[in-house]
Amino acid sequence: MTTPATSLGHPRFGGHRELKKALESYWGGKSAAGDLLTTAADLRRRHWTTMKAKGLTHVPCNDFSLYDHVLDMAVCLGVVPERYQSLRDPLERYFAMARGHQDGQRGLDLAALEMTKWFDTNYHYIVPELEVGQRFALDATKLLAELEEARNLQLEPRPVLLGPLSFLLLSKHAPHAPKDASTLALLDAVLPVYEQLLAVLAARDVSWVQLDEPCLVLDLSPGARAAYEQGLRRLSQLRQRPRLLLATYFGELGANLSLATGSGFEALHVDLVRAPSQLDAVLRSLPATMGLSVGVVDGRNVWRTDLDAAHQLVRRAVRKLGADRVLVAPSCSLLHVPEDLDNERKLDPEVKSWLSFANQKLDEVRALANASEEDAPTAEDFTRARAAIAVRRASPRTRNATVRTRMRTVDASMSRRAAPFHERARRHHERLRLPVLPTTTIGSFPQTSDVRGARAAWRAGHMSAAEYDTFLKEETRRCIQKQEAIGLDVLVHGEFERNDMVEYFGEQLDGFVFTENGWVQSYGSRCVKPPLLYGDVARPRSMTVAWSTYAQSLTPLPVKGMLTGPVTILQWSFVRDDQPRGETCQQIALALRDEVQDLEAAGISIIQVDEPAIREGLPLRRQDWKEYLRWAVDAFKVATSGVRDETQIHTHMCYSEFGEILDDIARMDADVLSIETSRSKLELLVDFAHFKYPNEIGPGVYDIHSPRVPSREEMVDLLEKARSVLPASQLWVNPDCGLKTRGWPEVEAALTHMVAAAKVMRERLEGASRPRSE
Ligand code: GLN
Ligand code: ZN
């Protein structure tokens, strides 16, 4: 019997983002629900057909999602907060939870559920919201429909479910719940629904279910460990159920290994790309009743697999367990890599030969499974992989001698501002003369279809570079005018020239290449096309100075220079795997340092270096944090410390639980930090207050991930809340994040309310400081 080749999940969008187009057309009222559902079904059929053609035997199903698989699991378990229940149409309700819902006629104004990063990826999931006494009820509509579809293709699908422990650990209690309520207390309530679901699947003769428990690679509290022990065992003891594969990924099981091997499940999947060294421990403790799915092809990166190295791992497993107890798989779902390298027509052929996207990874998995009983594989896949890897190792294109020399000159003086913050702040106030609670935005303004259309026309050669430049200048000018009219205090140029905050820089730096269709899902219909960082990074010329100085020439108000930080560029790219990430990050930081200095020299008084990804870059295990934070914070400081004291450095971060890394954020020493907080109703700010965060801070006062326009009063309330924990003199007023995904009417309305809210606050502050006798 040969070893089966499997996959844990497939990219959802289609190689040309078909799902995105269908979703947005449906949301925009331009097509019917039926059209969306047809596109989705076509995509699933295509993915399954591909997997079947490539010889995969355990083919995932229910990994597809119209928005997010965690939200799907919430719906499957009946976790639909009461406020959405007035929406009777299931699809409308589903998208209301994901994106919010405003309907003036029906008097509905529903905010979306919270959204947060999926582990250390750039994928965002919807955080299920649980009541303290939450009741669960099975709704398997989606799962069963997809199961049928797969079976109609003569496939034996393996349904993918987010397991009960990870589901609870990734969920959150509704805001009114007591602070100390633990979602794990709901385990006894949720397990019967999982049991019911497994029984339903057993009744339909499903032979395997993949139960994803990625939380098993995290540091778990004793309570969580006990819950795992109890929960997994209880599921395994169910009488009528399919065989269960317990899927773990993104790291090492470590101390949680015994929870997995003691689960009583029929198979375990482990990530041997992130943690190859765990194989021995896993093999040692795997019970005879358990099979092993070895994740040996990187589901998180795009480099061609070193098949010989992966083969060694497969062989070790097969030698110990026998070929029939082993499955070969990617390390995790392929959701995090682009779909198909064959869609790339323009990639540099040498670099292309170093790559592998989802469909190619399936071939690699198949090749490894085929060779599971050979000691020295000679199949063509192996010989081709060997050749490509040898070329990559020897290629002079990955090394730049000037960059290497400069890296050796980096010392502590390069990562320190000259004066301490309070001294710098005094100079900023003198120079900028801003009111208390200054208003600003995070950088981008709406990328309308006009803007995207012009860029596409220019890229396709239908618009000349000069025409495109004129177009962008006109957009920038209008944007400056609008900001002045709205009454903002610190302006931005609008970032119309940028397609994406990382791609824009990658395109101008050496060491990157770009794909045409290398899309990966970020959240909902949003996809990103991460640059491929394959070689040493250098900056041949300035990247943003012309735009910033042009915008500044149009207004007497300060215009912020806008850069993407080194950690974010690293984090949102597919990064070379042939040197430590910290080294690559330092190279980016040096390039940005030159840009920051050029902006300052061109007269820009405020420079924002966005680091939205610094928190998500944190390793999943605490023991690895220190090392990461050392080089990550250092890189930010190298990039931003080359300026004079009177230059104000801003940074921006999104979606983060900063609580535990406040020390490090303070160490970054940005003069002003803006953060995403509005969805969590400023909860985060309390941490900053307790920490006595010393520098200035702009808590986001409205959620830009939804088209909903918040009222002035809502924002006043948030600002009052902010002021109750931090002095007004320390606060800025801004939206949560950049506005590029929004439309102008809602942006203008929301920012007008925001500026009005700041004004209300300033009046209140003045009133409060005026002597009583007056
Ligand atoms: N300056 C960027 C923008 O406004 C920041 C976006 C982000 O942090 N994600 O688009
Ligand atoms: Zn942001």
Side-chain angles (χ1 to χ4, degrees):
M1 132 135 210
T2 55
T3 305
T6 74
S7 180
L8 269 55
H10 206 68
R12 297 163 184 161
F13 270 66
H16 298 279
R17 290 183 299 162
E18 291 88 331
L19 184 59
K20 175 191 181 67
K21 287 162 200 160
L23 282 167
E24 289 174 1
S25 152
Y26 168 69
W27 292 337
K30 292 190 204 96
S31 57
D35 301 324
L36 169 62
L37 299 179
T38 306
T39 304
D42 286 345
L43 284 167
R44 288 191 292 266
R45 187 174 330 113
R46 230 160 68 193
H47 301 158
W48 282 321
T49 315
T50 304
M51 286 186 251
K52 192 175 172 184
K54 290 185 185 295
L56 263 69
T57 30
H58 287 224
V59 168
C61 119
N62 199 43
D63 57 322
F64 182 86
S65 179
L66 287 174
Y67 202 96
D68 164 48
H69 57 275
V70 182
L71 179 59
D72 292 340
M73 198 65 220
V75 171
C76 177
L77 298 170
V79 180
V80 179
E82 170 130 17
R83 59 183 178 280
Y84 302 104
Q85 287 179 13
S86 64
L87 296 169
R88 303 313 303 171
D89 174 49
L91 199 60
E92 202 178 10
R93 190 166 58 223
Y94 178 81
F95 288 131
M97 290 163 78
R99 319 170 60 228
H101 184 94
Q102 262 180 332
D103 180 343
Q105 281 176 358
R106 286 149 82 189
L108 280 180
D109 184 2
L110 302 170
L113 290 173
E114 244 185 79
M115 180 160 71
T116 197
K117 298 267 177 189
W118 176 246
F119 297 84
D120 57 356
T121 73
N122 186 31
Y123 175 83
H124 304 63
Y125 74 94
I126 298 285
V127 183
E129 186 183 299
L130 300 167
E131 293 298 327
V132 173
Q134 180 74 43
R135 287 169 194 253
F136 299 89
L138 183 63
D139 174 359
T141 323
K142 168 187 186 286
L143 171 55
L144 295 180
E146 289 177 21
L147 182 65
E148 271 322 295
E149 282 176 19
R151 285 193 163 159
N152 288 340
L153 298 172
Q154 321 309 324
L155 281 166
E156 190 40 55
R158 181 171 84 191
V160 181
L161 303 175
L162 180 59
L165 283 307
S166 290
F167 178 80
L168 292 177
L169 289 166
L170 296 170
S171 299
K172 189 170 165 163
H173 270 306
H176 51 260
K179 270 259 167 286
D180 57 349
S182 157
T183 55
L184 285 176
L186 292 165
L187 184 60
D188 283 336
V190 80
L191 281 176
V193 182
Y194 274 92
E195 290 172 338
Q196 198 186 341
L197 177 54
L198 292 176
V200 167
L201 294 175
R204 290 182 197 229
D205 294 322
V206 167
S207 52
W208 279 96
V209 164
Q210 171 184 327
L211 201 78
D212 282 6
E213 282 291 357
C215 288
L216 277 171
V217 307
L218 305 178
D219 298 313
L220 294 175
S221 67
R225 294 176 53 88
Y228 258 110
E229 213 174 313
Q230 178 209 338
L232 297 182
R233 184 150 338 124
R234 190 166 144 189
L235 289 183
S236 79
Q237 284 163 354
L238 191 68
R239 239 181 252 158
Q240 293 295 323
R241 64 163 177 85
R243 281 174 285 178
L244 292 170
L245 167 76
L246 181 63
T248 69
Y249 40 82
F250 302 152
E252 179 180 38
L253 279 157
N256 303 328
L257 175 59
S258 60
L259 297 174
T261 53
S263 62
F265 284 23
E266 284 70 26
L268 170 65
H269 173 85
V270 290
D271 186 335
L272 297 180
V273 173
R274 281 276 177 93
S277 62
Q278 69 176 334
L279 179 59
D280 284 331
V282 171
L283 289 175
R284 240 180 287 121
S285 60
L286 203 73
T289 49
M290 217 175 192
L292 186 65
S293 166
V294 288
V296 289
V297 168
D298 195 349
R300 295 287 301 274
N301 213 336
V302 292
W303 308 107
R304 187 193 268 269
T305 304
D306 179 343
L307 287 184
D308 288 318
H311 176 71
Q312 290 304 316
L313 296 168
V314 176
R315 283 297 293 149
R316 262 156 68 196
V318 167
R319 252 185 252 121
K320 174 87 195 266
L321 306 174
D324 56 341
R325 267 177 75 200
V326 175
L327 300 105
V328 180
S331 59
C332 60
S333 166
L334 296 173
L335 178 64
H336 311 289
V337 292
E339 179 161 311
D340 196 349
L341 192 58
D342 291 345
N343 290 332
E344 301 304 324
R345 300 282 141 89
K346 297 188 191 146
L347 257 186
D348 175 290
E350 182 180 338
V351 177
K352 188 173 174 181
S353 75
W354 304 345
L355 301 174
S356 161
F357 292 178
N359 286 351
Q360 290 67 43
K361 286 173 189 289
L362 296 178
D363 290 330
E364 293 176 335
V365 165
R366 178 72 264 168
L368 287 162
N370 284 349
S372 74
E373 295 193 275
E374 295 168 38
D375 278 321
T378 51
E380 206 191 312
D381 300 85
F382 278 80
T383 48
R384 263 189 286 131
R386 273 172 212 139
I389 281 165
V391 170
R392 182 176 168 208
R393 283 208 185 109
S395 174
R397 300 179 53 188
T398 60
R399 302 180 74 79
N400 173 330
T402 320
V403 172
R404 301 263 151 191
T405 311
R406 188 171 181 205
M407 284 172 78
R408 285 196 291 273
T409 68
V410 176
D411 62 16
S413 73
M414 282 172 78
S415 50
R416 206 169 42 223
R417 298 285 301 267
F421 170 71
H422 60 91
E423 176 64 30
R424 303 194 309 261
R426 198 179 45 75
R427 291 186 188 223
H428 303 153
H429 298 155
E430 273 169 26
R431 181 181 187 191
L432 299 166
R433 307 226 159 265
L434 298 171
V436 66
L437 298 172
T439 54
T440 189
T441 63
I442 306 305
S444 57
F445 270 88
Q447 291 258 331
T448 56
S449 47
D450 275 0
V451 175
R452 280 179 281 122
R455 182 178 308 119
W458 164 66
R459 291 219 153 150
H462 305 320
M463 192 190 244
S464 72
E467 280 170 315
Y468 181 53
D469 192 66
T470 309
F471 170 86
L472 291 176
K473 284 203 169 117
E474 183 50 27
E475 287 297 310
T476 308
R477 197 185 53 77
R478 249 206 309 264
C479 181
I480 294 282
Q481 264 171 8
K482 287 200 166 152
Q483 293 174 80
E484 285 181 328
I486 290 167
L488 290 156
D489 301 308
V490 171
L491 313 192
V492 295
H493 73 282
E495 300 181 20
F496 302 107
E497 77 287 9
R498 301 182 192 178
N499 174 27
D500 171 90
M501 64 186 288
V502 170
E503 183 175 77
Y504 181 74
F505 290 94
E507 278 180 343
Q508 303 188 70
L509 292 166
D510 292 343
F512 291 85
V513 286
F514 292 84
T515 61
E516 283 169 90
N517 293 296
W519 299 101
V520 284
Q521 187 177 5
S522 169
Y523 70 90
S525 66
R526 277 270 285 154
C527 297
V528 292
K529 194 148 61 76
L532 311 189
L533 198 177
Y534 72 93
D536 287 348
V537 177
R539 186 193 74 142
R541 63 193 70 82
S542 83
M543 304 182 282
T544 63
V545 174
W547 288 113
S548 290
T549 49
Y550 172 68
Q552 186 63 83
S553 75
L554 303 171
T555 176
L557 295 169
V559 177
K560 292 192 269 192
M562 281 293 160
L563 304 175
T564 303
V567 183
T568 301
I569 292 182
L570 183 86
Q571 200 62 31
W572 292 354
S573 298
F574 285 117
V575 178
R576 62 194 296 182
D577 55 359
D578 57 352
Q579 70 180 22
R581 289 169 72 82
E583 268 173 44
T584 308
C585 197
Q586 189 181 63
Q587 295 181 353
I588 307 172
L590 287 168
L592 289 170
R593 179 181 175 92
D594 298 342
E595 185 72 11
V596 168
Q597 285 176 328
D598 284 355
L599 282 167
E600 177 182 68
I604 301 300
S605 54
I606 307 183
I607 300 165
Q608 179 168 314
V609 179
D610 292 324
E611 280 292 25
I614 205 154
R615 169 69 178 78
E616 85 187 42
L618 266 188
L620 295 173
R621 295 282 190 161
R622 206 169 276 265
Q623 64 193 29
D624 304 323
W625 283 18
K626 220 173 139 195
E627 164 66 6
Y628 162 77
L629 287 164
R630 186 189 55 71
W631 61 252
V633 172
D634 239 42
F636 180 84
K637 297 181 83 169
V638 165
T640 54
S641 299
V643 289
R644 294 192 303 270
D645 293 337
E646 60 265 35
T647 297
Q648 191 176 52
I649 296 288
H650 288 216
T651 189
H652 167 74
M653 299 175 189
C654 344
Y655 294 134
S656 298
E657 279 156 28
F658 298 113
E660 295 157 304
I661 59 161
L662 281 170
D663 251 324
D664 305 277
I665 293 179
R667 222 153 45 74
M668 288 166 74
D669 199 21
D671 298 305
V672 181
L673 160 68
S674 61
I675 51 171
E676 188 272 352
T677 42
S678 85
R679 274 201 192 190
S680 70
K681 304 270 180 298
L682 298 197
E683 271 166 46
L684 283 175
L685 205 59
V686 178
D687 294 338
F688 281 87
H690 282 158
F691 178 79
K692 301 206 168 33
Y693 181 76
N695 301 10
E696 292 170 30
I697 185 163
V701 292
Y702 85 83
D703 176 13
I704 62 90
H705 295 93
S706 145
R708 189 177 164 273
V709 174
S711 68
R712 181 186 71 173
E713 284 62 37
E714 264 173 71
M715 290 190 262
V716 167
D717 286 350
L718 288 176
L719 287 170
E720 276 294 357
K721 202 165 158 191
R723 187 172 65 121
S724 71
V725 293
L726 284 173
S729 58
Q730 211 179 335
L731 292 169
W732 285 62
V733 179
N734 47 254
D736 264 346
C737 199
L739 301 165
K740 65 185 278 191
T741 58
R742 300 272 64 94
W744 270 109
E746 74 224 35
V747 160
E748 286 189 81
L751 290 178
T752 304
H753 293 176
M754 186 186 90
V755 167
K759 209 160 143 213
V760 169
M761 289 301 294
R762 286 175 198 152
E763 280 157 15
R764 287 189 189 170
L765 287 166
E766 252 177 54
S769 60
R770 209 171 288 146
R772 253 162 218 269
S773 58
E774 220 182 299

